[in-house]
PDB file of all heavy atoms in Angstrom:
ATOM      1  N   ILE A 597     -18.306   5.798 -19.171  1.00 98.00           N
ATOM      2  CA  ILE A 597     -18.720   5.768 -20.583  1.00 98.00           C
ATOM      3  C   ILE A 597     -19.913   4.715 -20.646  1.00 98.00           C
ATOM      4  O   ILE A 597     -19.794   3.627 -20.276  1.00 98.00           O
ATOM      5  CB  ILE A 597     -17.482   5.166 -21.434  1.00 98.00           C
ATOM      6  CG1 ILE A 597     -16.223   5.830 -21.003  1.00 98.00           C
ATOM      7  CG2 ILE A 597     -17.819   5.261 -22.892  1.00 98.00           C
ATOM      8  CD1 ILE A 597     -16.099   7.318 -21.231  1.00 98.00           C
ATOM      9  N   HIS A 598     -20.891   5.293 -21.383  1.00 97.00           N
ATOM     10  CA  HIS A 598     -22.115   4.505 -21.623  1.00 97.00           C
ATOM     11  C   HIS A 598     -22.480   4.535 -23.011  1.00 97.00           C
ATOM     12  O   HIS A 598     -22.669   5.692 -23.584  1.00 97.00           O
ATOM     13  CB  HIS A 598     -23.281   4.999 -20.760  1.00 97.00           C
ATOM     14  CG  HIS A 598     -24.641   4.331 -20.941  1.00 97.00           C
ATOM     15  ND1 HIS A 598     -24.767   2.994 -20.534  1.00 97.00           N
ATOM     16  CD2 HIS A 598     -25.608   4.607 -21.833  1.00 97.00           C
ATOM     17  CE1 HIS A 598     -26.000   2.564 -20.953  1.00 97.00           C
ATOM     18  NE2 HIS A 598     -26.666   3.486 -21.636  1.00 97.00           N
ATOM     19  N   LYS A 599     -22.680   3.475 -23.693  1.00 96.00           N
ATOM     20  CA  LYS A 599     -23.253   3.444 -25.105  1.00 96.00           C
ATOM     21  C   LYS A 599     -24.392   2.420 -25.107  1.00 96.00           C
ATOM     22  O   LYS A 599     -24.137   1.343 -24.453  1.00 96.00           O
ATOM     23  CB  LYS A 599     -22.160   2.995 -26.040  1.00 96.00           C
ATOM     24  CG  LYS A 599     -22.546   2.869 -27.476  1.00 96.00           C
ATOM     25  CD  LYS A 599     -21.301   2.693 -28.405  1.00 96.00           C
ATOM     26  CE  LYS A 599     -21.720   2.354 -29.878  1.00 96.00           C
ATOM     27  NZ  LYS A 599     -22.044   3.662 -30.522  1.00 96.00           N
ATOM     28  N   GLU A 600     -25.295   2.720 -25.627  1.00 95.00           N
ATOM     29  CA  GLU A 600     -26.528   1.816 -25.750  1.00 95.00           C
ATOM     30  C   GLU A 600     -26.140   0.419 -26.111  1.00 95.00           C
ATOM     31  O   GLU A 600     -25.387   0.238 -27.066  1.00 95.00           O
ATOM     32  CB  GLU A 600     -27.641   2.381 -26.583  1.00 95.00           C
ATOM     33  CG  GLU A 600     -28.891   1.744 -26.487  1.00 95.00           C
ATOM     34  CD  GLU A 600     -29.943   2.451 -27.236  1.00 95.00           C
ATOM     35  OE1 GLU A 600     -30.019   3.620 -27.368  1.00 95.00           O
ATOM     36  OE2 GLU A 600     -31.030   1.705 -27.747  1.00 95.00           O
ATOM     37  N   ASP A 601     -26.737  -0.573 -25.443  1.00 96.00           N
ATOM     38  CA  ASP A 601     -26.393  -2.117 -25.792  1.00 96.00           C
ATOM     39  C   ASP A 601     -25.028  -2.443 -25.469  1.00 96.00           C
ATOM     40  O   ASP A 601     -24.581  -3.654 -25.870  1.00 96.00           O
ATOM     41  CB  ASP A 601     -26.792  -2.292 -27.294  1.00 96.00           C
ATOM     42  CG  ASP A 601     -28.158  -2.114 -27.654  1.00 96.00           C
ATOM     43  OD1 ASP A 601     -29.080  -2.338 -26.704  1.00 96.00           O
ATOM     44  OD2 ASP A 601     -28.451  -1.614 -28.802  1.00 96.00           O
ATOM     45  N   TYR A 602     -24.300  -1.608 -24.703  1.00 96.00           N
ATOM     46  CA  TYR A 602     -22.865  -2.135 -24.239  1.00 96.00           C
ATOM     47  C   TYR A 602     -22.836  -1.935 -22.760  1.00 96.00           C
ATOM     48  O   TYR A 602     -23.537  -1.066 -22.230  1.00 96.00           O
ATOM     49  CB  TYR A 602     -21.849  -1.185 -24.927  1.00 96.00           C
ATOM     50  CG  TYR A 602     -21.613  -1.527 -26.404  1.00 96.00           C
ATOM     51  CD1 TYR A 602     -22.362  -0.845 -27.398  1.00 96.00           C
ATOM     52  CD2 TYR A 602     -20.721  -2.485 -26.926  1.00 96.00           C
ATOM     53  CE1 TYR A 602     -22.281  -1.123 -28.736  1.00 96.00           C
ATOM     54  CE2 TYR A 602     -20.604  -2.748 -28.222  1.00 96.00           C
ATOM     55  CZ  TYR A 602     -21.403  -2.178 -29.171  1.00 96.00           C
ATOM     56  OH  TYR A 602     -21.154  -2.360 -30.401  1.00 96.00           O
ATOM     57  N   GLU A 603     -21.976  -2.675 -22.225  1.00 97.00           N
ATOM     58  CA  GLU A 603     -21.753  -2.602 -20.710  1.00 97.00           C
ATOM     59  C   GLU A 603     -20.984  -1.335 -20.447  1.00 97.00           C
ATOM     60  O   GLU A 603     -20.108  -0.766 -21.161  1.00 97.00           O
ATOM     61  CB  GLU A 603     -20.786  -3.719 -20.306  1.00 97.00           C
ATOM     62  CG  GLU A 603     -20.511  -3.742 -18.863  1.00 97.00           C
ATOM     63  CD  GLU A 603     -19.575  -4.887 -18.387  1.00 97.00           C
ATOM     64  OE1 GLU A 603     -19.186  -5.727 -19.276  1.00 97.00           O
ATOM     65  OE2 GLU A 603     -19.305  -4.963 -17.210  1.00 97.00           O
ATOM     66  N   GLU A 604     -21.460  -0.594 -19.345  1.00 97.00           N
ATOM     67  CA  GLU A 604     -20.764   0.632 -18.911  1.00 97.00           C
ATOM     68  C   GLU A 604     -19.392   0.357 -18.430  1.00 97.00           C
ATOM     69  O   GLU A 604     -19.253  -0.687 -17.798  1.00 97.00           O
ATOM     70  CB  GLU A 604     -21.711   1.145 -17.740  1.00 97.00           C
ATOM     71  CG  GLU A 604     -21.475   2.658 -17.525  1.00 97.00           C
ATOM     72  CD  GLU A 604     -22.555   3.246 -16.708  1.00 97.00           C
ATOM     73  OE1 GLU A 604     -22.427   2.931 -15.404  1.00 97.00           O
ATOM     74  OE2 GLU A 604     -23.522   3.862 -17.004  1.00 97.00           O
ATOM     75  N   TRP A 605     -18.510   1.314 -18.706  1.00 98.00           N
ATOM     76  CA  TRP A 605     -17.080   1.066 -18.265  1.00 98.00           C
ATOM     77  C   TRP A 605     -16.548   2.473 -17.861  1.00 98.00           C
ATOM     78  O   TRP A 605     -17.108   3.445 -18.083  1.00 98.00           O
ATOM     79  CB  TRP A 605     -16.201   0.499 -19.366  1.00 98.00           C
ATOM     80  CG  TRP A 605     -16.251   1.138 -20.557  1.00 98.00           C
ATOM     81  CD1 TRP A 605     -17.164   1.140 -21.481  1.00 98.00           C
ATOM     82  CD2 TRP A 605     -15.135   2.065 -21.095  1.00 98.00           C
ATOM     83  NE1 TRP A 605     -16.817   1.933 -22.591  1.00 98.00           N
ATOM     84  CE2 TRP A 605     -15.418   2.446 -22.426  1.00 98.00           C
ATOM     85  CE3 TRP A 605     -13.940   2.414 -20.546  1.00 98.00           C
ATOM     86  CZ2 TRP A 605     -14.797   3.339 -23.146  1.00 98.00           C
ATOM     87  CZ3 TRP A 605     -13.141   3.277 -21.448  1.00 98.00           C
ATOM     88  CH2 TRP A 605     -13.592   3.699 -22.704  1.00 98.00           C
ATOM     89  N   VAL A 606     -15.385   2.447 -17.263  1.00 98.00           N
ATOM     90  CA  VAL A 606     -14.812   3.654 -16.634  1.00 98.00           C
ATOM     91  C   VAL A 606     -13.362   3.910 -17.268  1.00 98.00           C
ATOM     92  O   VAL A 606     -12.582   3.015 -17.523  1.00 98.00           O
ATOM     93  CB  VAL A 606     -14.588   3.524 -15.125  1.00 98.00           C
ATOM     94  CG1 VAL A 606     -13.799   4.701 -14.552  1.00 98.00           C
ATOM     95  CG2 VAL A 606     -15.851   3.338 -14.425  1.00 98.00           C
ATOM     96  N   LEU A 607     -13.192   5.136 -17.816  1.00 98.00           N
ATOM     97  CA  LEU A 607     -11.999   5.559 -18.265  1.00 98.00           C
ATOM     98  C   LEU A 607     -11.211   6.502 -17.352  1.00 98.00           C
ATOM     99  O   LEU A 607     -11.886   7.328 -16.748  1.00 98.00           O
ATOM    100  CB  LEU A 607     -12.332   6.408 -19.578  1.00 98.00           C
ATOM    101  CG  LEU A 607     -11.030   7.072 -20.164  1.00 98.00           C
ATOM    102  CD1 LEU A 607     -10.012   6.125 -20.644  1.00 98.00           C
ATOM    103  CD2 LEU A 607     -11.495   8.025 -21.317  1.00 98.00           C
ATOM    104  N   ALA A 608     -10.003   6.292 -17.063  1.00 98.00           N
ATOM    105  CA  ALA A 608      -9.099   7.135 -16.334  1.00 98.00           C
ATOM    106  C   ALA A 608      -8.122   7.603 -17.367  1.00 98.00           C
ATOM    107  O   ALA A 608      -7.165   6.930 -17.822  1.00 98.00           O
ATOM    108  CB  ALA A 608      -8.426   6.411 -15.223  1.00 98.00           C
ATOM    109  N   ALA A 609      -8.292   8.926 -17.779  1.00 97.00           N
ATOM    110  CA  ALA A 609      -7.497   9.559 -18.654  1.00 97.00           C
ATOM    111  C   ALA A 609      -6.349  10.256 -17.823  1.00 97.00           C
ATOM    112  O   ALA A 609      -6.623  11.164 -17.099  1.00 97.00           O
ATOM    113  CB  ALA A 609      -8.041  10.530 -19.680  1.00 97.00           C
ATOM    114  N   ILE A 610      -5.147   9.978 -18.072  1.00 96.00           N
ATOM    115  CA  ILE A 610      -4.014  10.226 -17.152  1.00 96.00           C
ATOM    116  C   ILE A 610      -3.025  11.201 -17.876  1.00 96.00           C
ATOM    117  O   ILE A 610      -2.583  11.036 -18.967  1.00 96.00           O
ATOM    118  CB  ILE A 610      -3.084   8.943 -16.745  1.00 96.00           C
ATOM    119  CG1 ILE A 610      -4.011   7.987 -16.099  1.00 96.00           C
ATOM    120  CG2 ILE A 610      -1.906   9.384 -15.852  1.00 96.00           C
ATOM    121  CD1 ILE A 610      -4.608   8.239 -14.726  1.00 96.00           C
ATOM    122  N   TYR A 611      -2.567  12.234 -17.197  1.00 95.00           N
ATOM    123  CA  TYR A 611      -1.447  13.024 -17.372  1.00 95.00           C
ATOM    124  C   TYR A 611      -0.636  13.140 -16.030  1.00 95.00           C
ATOM    125  O   TYR A 611      -1.088  14.015 -15.310  1.00 95.00           O
ATOM    126  CB  TYR A 611      -1.482  14.225 -18.118  1.00 95.00           C
ATOM    127  CG  TYR A 611      -0.224  15.051 -18.208  1.00 95.00           C
ATOM    128  CD1 TYR A 611       0.785  14.511 -19.008  1.00 95.00           C
ATOM    129  CD2 TYR A 611       0.312  15.897 -17.258  1.00 95.00           C
ATOM    130  CE1 TYR A 611       2.172  14.956 -19.039  1.00 95.00           C
ATOM    131  CE2 TYR A 611       1.538  16.464 -17.236  1.00 95.00           C
ATOM    132  CZ  TYR A 611       2.456  15.915 -18.120  1.00 95.00           C
ATOM    133  OH  TYR A 611       3.725  16.475 -18.113  1.00 95.00           O
ATOM    134  N   ALA A 612       0.228  12.090 -15.771  1.00 94.00           N
ATOM    135  CA  ALA A 612       0.838  12.225 -14.459  1.00 94.00           C
ATOM    136  C   ALA A 612       1.971  13.271 -14.408  1.00 94.00           C
ATOM    137  O   ALA A 612       2.630  13.501 -15.497  1.00 94.00           O
ATOM    138  CB  ALA A 612       1.550  10.878 -14.234  1.00 94.00           C
ATOM    139  N   SER A 613       2.069  13.929 -13.257  1.00 93.00           N
ATOM    140  CA  SER A 613       3.098  14.993 -13.113  1.00 93.00           C
ATOM    141  C   SER A 613       4.484  14.370 -13.061  1.00 93.00           C
ATOM    142  O   SER A 613       4.659  13.379 -12.665  1.00 93.00           O
ATOM    143  CB  SER A 613       2.768  15.626 -11.740  1.00 93.00           C
ATOM    144  OG  SER A 613       3.830  16.634 -11.574  1.00 93.00           O
ATOM    145  N   PRO A 614       5.218  15.240 -13.770  1.00 90.00           N
ATOM    146  CA  PRO A 614       6.720  14.795 -13.713  1.00 90.00           C
ATOM    147  C   PRO A 614       7.265  14.920 -12.257  1.00 90.00           C
ATOM    148  O   PRO A 614       8.354  14.385 -11.942  1.00 90.00           O
ATOM    149  CB  PRO A 614       7.339  15.724 -14.504  1.00 90.00           C
ATOM    150  CG  PRO A 614       6.406  16.903 -15.046  1.00 90.00           C
ATOM    151  CD  PRO A 614       5.060  16.367 -14.607  1.00 90.00           C
ATOM    152  N   ASN A 615       6.611  15.651 -11.417  1.00 92.00           N
ATOM    153  CA  ASN A 615       6.984  15.774 -10.091  1.00 92.00           C
ATOM    154  C   ASN A 615       6.677  14.412  -9.323  1.00 92.00           C
ATOM    155  O   ASN A 615       5.489  14.072  -9.158  1.00 92.00           O
ATOM    156  CB  ASN A 615       6.315  17.040  -9.348  1.00 92.00           C
ATOM    157  CG  ASN A 615       6.671  17.173  -7.908  1.00 92.00           C
ATOM    158  OD1 ASN A 615       6.751  16.316  -7.140  1.00 92.00           O
ATOM    159  ND2 ASN A 615       6.763  18.420  -7.608  1.00 92.00           N
ATOM    160  N   PRO A 616       7.696  13.743  -8.736  1.00 93.00           N
ATOM    161  CA  PRO A 616       7.559  12.478  -8.191  1.00 93.00           C
ATOM    162  C   PRO A 616       6.520  12.595  -6.973  1.00 93.00           C
ATOM    163  O   PRO A 616       5.757  11.446  -6.733  1.00 93.00           O
ATOM    164  CB  PRO A 616       8.861  12.141  -7.567  1.00 93.00           C
ATOM    165  CG  PRO A 616       9.872  12.982  -8.268  1.00 93.00           C
ATOM    166  CD  PRO A 616       9.113  14.132  -8.816  1.00 93.00           C
ATOM    167  N   ILE A 617       6.475  13.675  -6.068  1.00 95.00           N
ATOM    168  CA  ILE A 617       5.562  13.712  -5.042  1.00 95.00           C
ATOM    169  C   ILE A 617       4.059  13.804  -5.562  1.00 95.00           C
ATOM    170  O   ILE A 617       3.222  13.143  -4.969  1.00 95.00           O
ATOM    171  CB  ILE A 617       5.952  14.957  -4.087  1.00 95.00           C
ATOM    172  CG1 ILE A 617       7.314  14.721  -3.514  1.00 95.00           C
ATOM    173  CG2 ILE A 617       4.901  15.161  -3.033  1.00 95.00           C
ATOM    174  CD1 ILE A 617       7.842  15.911  -2.892  1.00 95.00           C
ATOM    175  N   LEU A 618       3.993  14.619  -6.593  1.00 95.00           N
ATOM    176  CA  LEU A 618       2.471  14.630  -7.245  1.00 95.00           C
ATOM    177  C   LEU A 618       2.010  13.405  -7.846  1.00 95.00           C
ATOM    178  O   LEU A 618       0.915  13.075  -7.760  1.00 95.00           O
ATOM    179  CB  LEU A 618       2.431  15.908  -8.167  1.00 95.00           C
ATOM    180  CG  LEU A 618       2.703  17.294  -7.549  1.00 95.00           C
ATOM    181  CD1 LEU A 618       2.631  18.300  -8.501  1.00 95.00           C
ATOM    182  CD2 LEU A 618       1.550  17.533  -6.452  1.00 95.00           C
ATOM    183  N   ARG A 619       3.149  12.779  -8.590  1.00 95.00           N
ATOM    184  CA  ARG A 619       2.932  11.461  -9.152  1.00 95.00           C
ATOM    185  C   ARG A 619       2.421  10.443  -8.089  1.00 95.00           C
ATOM    186  O   ARG A 619       1.559   9.577  -8.356  1.00 95.00           O
ATOM    187  CB  ARG A 619       3.984  11.158 -10.032  1.00 95.00           C
ATOM    188  CG  ARG A 619       3.708  10.176 -10.970  1.00 95.00           C
ATOM    189  CD  ARG A 619       4.784   9.900 -11.999  1.00 95.00           C
ATOM    190  NE  ARG A 619       6.062   9.587 -11.383  1.00 95.00           N
ATOM    191  CZ  ARG A 619       7.171  10.409 -11.618  1.00 95.00           C
ATOM    192  NH1 ARG A 619       7.000  11.559 -12.269  1.00 95.00           N
ATOM    193  NH2 ARG A 619       8.303  10.251 -10.914  1.00 95.00           N
ATOM    194  N   ASP A 620       3.123  10.493  -6.892  1.00 96.00           N
ATOM    195  CA  ASP A 620       2.760   9.550  -5.782  1.00 96.00           C
ATOM    196  C   ASP A 620       1.336   9.781  -5.426  1.00 96.00           C
ATOM    197  O   ASP A 620       0.636   8.789  -5.065  1.00 96.00           O
ATOM    198  CB  ASP A 620       3.729   9.708  -4.644  1.00 96.00           C
ATOM    199  CG  ASP A 620       5.060   9.118  -4.878  1.00 96.00           C
ATOM    200  OD1 ASP A 620       5.305   8.506  -5.785  1.00 96.00           O
ATOM    201  OD2 ASP A 620       5.935   9.499  -4.090  1.00 96.00           O
ATOM    202  N   GLN A 621       0.861  11.034  -5.289  1.00 97.00           N
ATOM    203  CA  GLN A 621      -0.503  11.170  -4.951  1.00 97.00           C
ATOM    204  C   GLN A 621      -1.476  10.670  -5.946  1.00 97.00           C
ATOM    205  O   GLN A 621      -2.467  10.063  -5.603  1.00 97.00           O
ATOM    206  CB  GLN A 621      -0.730  12.724  -4.873  1.00 97.00           C
ATOM    207  CG  GLN A 621       0.000  13.409  -3.700  1.00 97.00           C
ATOM    208  CD  GLN A 621      -0.061  14.853  -3.678  1.00 97.00           C
ATOM    209  OE1 GLN A 621      -0.755  15.569  -4.504  1.00 97.00           O
ATOM    210  NE2 GLN A 621       0.414  15.599  -2.735  1.00 97.00           N
ATOM    211  N   LEU A 622      -1.110  10.726  -7.198  1.00 97.00           N
ATOM    212  CA  LEU A 622      -2.005  10.258  -8.385  1.00 97.00           C
ATOM    213  C   LEU A 622      -2.154   8.628  -8.104  1.00 97.00           C
ATOM    214  O   LEU A 622      -3.155   8.103  -8.102  1.00 97.00           O
ATOM    215  CB  LEU A 622      -1.447  10.493  -9.671  1.00 97.00           C
ATOM    216  CG  LEU A 622      -2.021   9.640 -10.844  1.00 97.00           C
ATOM    217  CD1 LEU A 622      -3.510  10.066 -11.050  1.00 97.00           C
ATOM    218  CD2 LEU A 622      -1.228   9.805 -12.077  1.00 97.00           C
ATOM    219  N   TRP A 623      -1.010   8.048  -7.823  1.00 97.00           N
ATOM    220  CA  TRP A 623      -1.000   6.557  -7.660  1.00 97.00           C
ATOM    221  C   TRP A 623      -1.727   6.102  -6.436  1.00 97.00           C
ATOM    222  O   TRP A 623      -2.402   5.081  -6.485  1.00 97.00           O
ATOM    223  CB  TRP A 623       0.380   6.027  -7.815  1.00 97.00           C
ATOM    224  CG  TRP A 623       0.842   5.837  -9.203  1.00 97.00           C
ATOM    225  CD1 TRP A 623       1.734   6.604  -9.803  1.00 97.00           C
ATOM    226  CD2 TRP A 623       0.386   4.797 -10.118  1.00 97.00           C
ATOM    227  NE1 TRP A 623       1.896   6.065 -11.181  1.00 97.00           N
ATOM    228  CE2 TRP A 623       1.092   5.054 -11.304  1.00 97.00           C
ATOM    229  CE3 TRP A 623      -0.516   3.784  -9.940  1.00 97.00           C
ATOM    230  CZ2 TRP A 623       0.833   4.240 -12.406  1.00 97.00           C
ATOM    231  CZ3 TRP A 623      -0.731   2.934 -11.108  1.00 97.00           C
ATOM    232  CH2 TRP A 623      -0.054   3.234 -12.357  1.00 97.00           C
ATOM    233  N   HIS A 624      -1.643   6.913  -5.386  1.00 97.00           N
ATOM    234  CA  HIS A 624      -2.389   6.677  -4.231  1.00 97.00           C
ATOM    235  C   HIS A 624      -3.762   6.715  -4.453  1.00 97.00           C
ATOM    236  O   HIS A 624      -4.578   5.788  -4.130  1.00 97.00           O
ATOM    237  CB  HIS A 624      -2.039   7.602  -3.129  1.00 97.00           C
ATOM    238  CG  HIS A 624      -2.823   7.437  -1.811  1.00 97.00           C
ATOM    239  ND1 HIS A 624      -2.379   6.418  -1.008  1.00 97.00           N
ATOM    240  CD2 HIS A 624      -3.876   8.181  -1.284  1.00 97.00           C
ATOM    241  CE1 HIS A 624      -3.311   6.539   0.092  1.00 97.00           C
ATOM    242  NE2 HIS A 624      -4.127   7.533  -0.162  1.00 97.00           N
ATOM    243  N   ASN A 625      -4.296   7.705  -5.340  1.00 96.00           N
ATOM    244  CA  ASN A 625      -5.707   7.784  -5.698  1.00 96.00           C
ATOM    245  C   ASN A 625      -6.193   6.672  -6.554  1.00 96.00           C
ATOM    246  O   ASN A 625      -7.251   6.147  -6.330  1.00 96.00           O
ATOM    247  CB  ASN A 625      -6.082   9.106  -6.228  1.00 96.00           C
ATOM    248  CG  ASN A 625      -5.751  10.322  -5.316  1.00 96.00           C
ATOM    249  OD1 ASN A 625      -6.007  10.093  -4.097  1.00 96.00           O
ATOM    250  ND2 ASN A 625      -5.572  11.480  -5.751  1.00 96.00           N
ATOM    251  N   LEU A 626      -5.295   6.218  -7.505  1.00 97.00           N
ATOM    252  CA  LEU A 626      -5.597   5.101  -8.347  1.00 97.00           C
ATOM    253  C   LEU A 626      -5.712   3.829  -7.737  1.00 97.00           C
ATOM    254  O   LEU A 626      -6.751   3.055  -7.775  1.00 97.00           O
ATOM    255  CB  LEU A 626      -4.595   5.008  -9.522  1.00 97.00           C
ATOM    256  CG  LEU A 626      -4.580   6.211 -10.574  1.00 97.00           C
ATOM    257  CD1 LEU A 626      -3.312   6.049 -11.517  1.00 97.00           C
ATOM    258  CD2 LEU A 626      -5.879   6.168 -11.306  1.00 97.00           C
ATOM    259  N   GLU A 627      -4.828   3.591  -6.683  1.00 97.00           N
ATOM    260  CA  GLU A 627      -4.912   2.396  -5.830  1.00 97.00           C
ATOM    261  C   GLU A 627      -6.215   2.398  -5.096  1.00 97.00           C
ATOM    262  O   GLU A 627      -6.819   1.262  -4.908  1.00 97.00           O
ATOM    263  CB  GLU A 627      -3.687   2.347  -4.987  1.00 97.00           C
ATOM    264  CG  GLU A 627      -2.384   2.057  -5.793  1.00 97.00           C
ATOM    265  CD  GLU A 627      -1.078   2.085  -4.981  1.00 97.00           C
ATOM    266  OE1 GLU A 627      -1.121   2.801  -3.926  1.00 97.00           O
ATOM    267  OE2 GLU A 627      -0.107   1.550  -5.585  1.00 97.00           O
ATOM    268  N   ASN A 628      -6.610   3.532  -4.521  1.00 96.00           N
ATOM    269  CA  ASN A 628      -7.811   3.570  -3.724  1.00 96.00           C
ATOM    270  C   ASN A 628      -9.078   3.248  -4.768  1.00 96.00           C
ATOM    271  O   ASN A 628      -9.947   2.494  -4.260  1.00 96.00           O
ATOM    272  CB  ASN A 628      -7.974   4.926  -3.026  1.00 96.00           C
ATOM    273  CG  ASN A 628      -7.243   5.101  -1.760  1.00 96.00           C
ATOM    274  OD1 ASN A 628      -6.708   4.058  -1.320  1.00 96.00           O
ATOM    275  ND2 ASN A 628      -6.967   6.253  -1.423  1.00 96.00           N
ATOM    276  N   MET A 629      -9.105   3.915  -5.843  1.00 96.00           N
ATOM    277  CA  MET A 629     -10.084   3.713  -6.709  1.00 96.00           C
ATOM    278  C   MET A 629     -10.145   2.213  -7.265  1.00 96.00           C
ATOM    279  O   MET A 629     -11.165   1.513  -7.223  1.00 96.00           O
ATOM    280  CB  MET A 629     -10.047   4.562  -7.949  1.00 96.00           C
ATOM    281  CG  MET A 629     -11.085   4.368  -8.879  1.00 96.00           C
ATOM    282  SD  MET A 629     -11.222   5.720  -9.954  1.00 96.00           S
ATOM    283  CE  MET A 629     -12.873   6.290  -9.336  1.00 96.00           C
ATOM    284  N   ALA A 630      -9.066   1.525  -7.427  1.00 97.00           N
ATOM    285  CA  ALA A 630      -8.982   0.060  -7.869  1.00 97.00           C
ATOM    286  C   ALA A 630      -9.633  -0.792  -6.824  1.00 97.00           C
ATOM    287  O   ALA A 630     -10.206  -1.801  -7.164  1.00 97.00           O
ATOM    288  CB  ALA A 630      -7.466  -0.316  -8.056  1.00 97.00           C
ATOM    289  N   GLU A 631      -9.518  -0.459  -5.534  1.00 96.00           N
ATOM    290  CA  GLU A 631     -10.135  -1.326  -4.498  1.00 96.00           C
ATOM    291  C   GLU A 631     -11.580  -1.396  -4.638  1.00 96.00           C
ATOM    292  O   GLU A 631     -12.291  -2.411  -4.291  1.00 96.00           O
ATOM    293  CB  GLU A 631      -9.759  -0.782  -3.079  1.00 96.00           C
ATOM    294  CG  GLU A 631      -8.208  -0.985  -2.751  1.00 96.00           C
ATOM    295  CD  GLU A 631      -7.873  -0.292  -1.414  1.00 96.00           C
ATOM    296  OE1 GLU A 631      -8.810   0.131  -0.616  1.00 96.00           O
ATOM    297  OE2 GLU A 631      -6.626  -0.327  -1.096  1.00 96.00           O
ATOM    298  N   SER A 632     -12.289  -0.440  -5.140  1.00 94.00           N
ATOM    299  CA  SER A 632     -13.651  -0.440  -5.280  1.00 94.00           C
ATOM    300  C   SER A 632     -14.160  -0.422  -6.596  1.00 94.00           C
ATOM    301  O   SER A 632     -15.408  -0.326  -6.848  1.00 94.00           O
ATOM    302  CB  SER A 632     -14.322   0.924  -4.462  1.00 94.00           C
ATOM    303  OG  SER A 632     -13.882   2.037  -5.145  1.00 94.00           O
TER     304      SER A 632
END
């Protein structure tokens, strides 16, 4: 997200699957993204 005169930031809009295996994949990806 970029707005003039403001610091750029990142939005992660989530709808996690009710399926625990798919939800685990989401969290794995979020944890990887958090590292960088």
